[in-house]
Short mmCIF file of all heavy atoms in Angstrom, two decimals:
data_model
loop_
_atom_site.label_atom_id
_atom_site.label_comp_id
_atom_site.label_asym_id
_atom_site.label_seq_id
_atom_site.Cartn_x
_atom_site.Cartn_y
_atom_site.Cartn_z
N LEU A 33 -1.91 12.42 -8.38
CA LEU A 33 -2.18 12.99 -7.07
C LEU A 33 -3.25 14.07 -7.14
O LEU A 33 -3.38 14.83 -8.12
CB LEU A 33 -0.92 13.68 -6.48
CG LEU A 33 -1.13 14.15 -5.08
CD1 LEU A 33 -0.53 13.18 -4.11
CD2 LEU A 33 -0.59 15.59 -4.91
N ALA A 34 -4.13 14.12 -6.11
CA ALA A 34 -5.21 15.11 -6.03
C ALA A 34 -5.08 15.79 -4.70
O ALA A 34 -4.47 15.33 -3.74
CB ALA A 34 -6.54 14.41 -6.09
N TRP A 35 -5.60 17.02 -4.74
CA TRP A 35 -5.70 17.83 -3.47
C TRP A 35 -7.14 18.19 -3.21
O TRP A 35 -7.95 18.46 -4.14
CB TRP A 35 -4.96 19.18 -3.69
CG TRP A 35 -3.44 19.00 -3.68
CD1 TRP A 35 -2.65 18.98 -4.76
CD2 TRP A 35 -2.53 18.84 -2.56
NE1 TRP A 35 -1.32 18.83 -4.40
CE2 TRP A 35 -1.27 18.73 -3.03
CE3 TRP A 35 -2.76 18.87 -1.15
CZ2 TRP A 35 -0.12 18.61 -2.21
CZ3 TRP A 35 -1.66 18.74 -0.31
CH2 TRP A 35 -0.38 18.60 -0.87
N TYR A 36 -7.53 18.13 -1.90
CA TYR A 36 -8.90 18.40 -1.49
C TYR A 36 -8.85 19.49 -0.40
O TYR A 36 -7.90 19.56 0.38
CB TYR A 36 -9.58 17.18 -0.92
CG TYR A 36 -9.73 16.05 -1.95
CD1 TYR A 36 -8.72 15.20 -2.20
CD2 TYR A 36 -10.93 15.88 -2.65
CE1 TYR A 36 -8.80 14.20 -3.10
CE2 TYR A 36 -11.07 14.79 -3.56
CZ TYR A 36 -9.96 14.01 -3.77
OH TYR A 36 -10.13 12.99 -4.68
N GLN A 37 -9.93 20.28 -0.32
CA GLN A 37 -10.09 21.24 0.67
C GLN A 37 -11.34 20.85 1.53
O GLN A 37 -12.38 20.56 0.98
CB GLN A 37 -10.35 22.62 0.11
CG GLN A 37 -10.68 23.73 1.09
CD GLN A 37 -11.24 24.96 0.42
OE1 GLN A 37 -12.31 25.01 -0.20
NE2 GLN A 37 -10.51 26.05 0.40
N GLN A 38 -11.20 20.82 2.86
CA GLN A 38 -12.33 20.49 3.74
C GLN A 38 -12.47 21.62 4.76
O GLN A 38 -11.60 21.90 5.50
CB GLN A 38 -12.12 19.14 4.41
CG GLN A 38 -13.38 18.77 5.20
CD GLN A 38 -13.22 17.38 5.86
OE1 GLN A 38 -12.15 16.97 6.28
NE2 GLN A 38 -14.33 16.63 5.96
N LYS A 39 -13.69 22.14 4.79
CA LYS A 39 -14.04 23.10 5.87
C LYS A 39 -14.85 22.38 6.95
O LYS A 39 -15.46 21.34 6.70
CB LYS A 39 -14.88 24.20 5.23
CG LYS A 39 -14.05 25.01 4.19
CD LYS A 39 -14.77 26.22 3.60
CE LYS A 39 -13.87 26.97 2.63
NZ LYS A 39 -14.55 28.11 2.03
N PRO A 40 -14.85 22.90 8.16
CA PRO A 40 -15.46 22.23 9.29
C PRO A 40 -16.93 21.85 9.07
O PRO A 40 -17.72 22.72 8.59
CB PRO A 40 -15.34 23.23 10.42
CG PRO A 40 -14.17 24.06 10.08
CD PRO A 40 -14.15 24.14 8.58
N GLY A 41 -17.20 20.59 9.30
CA GLY A 41 -18.56 20.12 9.15
C GLY A 41 -19.05 19.88 7.76
O GLY A 41 -20.24 19.58 7.48
N LYS A 42 -18.15 19.98 6.76
CA LYS A 42 -18.46 19.83 5.35
C LYS A 42 -17.68 18.71 4.73
O LYS A 42 -16.61 18.26 5.30
CB LYS A 42 -18.17 21.14 4.59
CG LYS A 42 -18.93 22.34 5.06
CD LYS A 42 -20.39 22.21 4.81
CE LYS A 42 -21.14 23.50 5.23
NZ LYS A 42 -22.59 23.34 4.97
N ALA A 43 -18.14 18.18 3.59
CA ALA A 43 -17.44 17.22 2.86
C ALA A 43 -16.20 17.88 2.16
O ALA A 43 -16.25 19.06 1.81
CB ALA A 43 -18.33 16.59 1.83
N PRO A 44 -15.19 17.10 1.90
CA PRO A 44 -14.07 17.63 1.07
C PRO A 44 -14.47 18.01 -0.26
O PRO A 44 -15.49 17.47 -0.78
CB PRO A 44 -13.07 16.44 1.08
CG PRO A 44 -13.40 15.65 2.33
CD PRO A 44 -14.91 15.76 2.49
N LYS A 45 -13.73 18.92 -0.84
CA LYS A 45 -13.96 19.41 -2.21
C LYS A 45 -12.77 19.16 -3.02
O LYS A 45 -11.58 19.49 -2.60
CB LYS A 45 -14.29 20.89 -2.17
CG LYS A 45 -14.39 21.57 -3.56
CD LYS A 45 -14.55 23.05 -3.38
CE LYS A 45 -14.54 23.80 -4.71
NZ LYS A 45 -14.64 25.28 -4.56
N LEU A 46 -12.83 18.58 -4.18
CA LEU A 46 -11.69 18.31 -5.11
C LEU A 46 -11.27 19.63 -5.72
O LEU A 46 -12.03 20.42 -6.33
CB LEU A 46 -12.15 17.35 -6.17
CG LEU A 46 -11.07 17.00 -7.20
CD1 LEU A 46 -9.89 16.33 -6.63
CD2 LEU A 46 -11.70 16.10 -8.34
N LEU A 47 -9.94 20.01 -5.51
CA LEU A 47 -9.39 21.21 -5.98
C LEU A 47 -8.56 20.90 -7.27
O LEU A 47 -8.58 21.67 -8.24
CB LEU A 47 -8.43 21.83 -4.95
CG LEU A 47 -9.05 22.32 -3.61
CD1 LEU A 47 -7.97 22.87 -2.76
CD2 LEU A 47 -10.13 23.39 -3.88
#
Side-chain angles (χ1 to χ4, degrees):
Chain A
L33 184 103
W35 290 98
Y36 299 83
Q37 175 193 67
Q38 185 179 34
K39 296 183 179 179
K42 300 293 187 182
K45 172 187 174 182
L46 178 62
L47 297 177

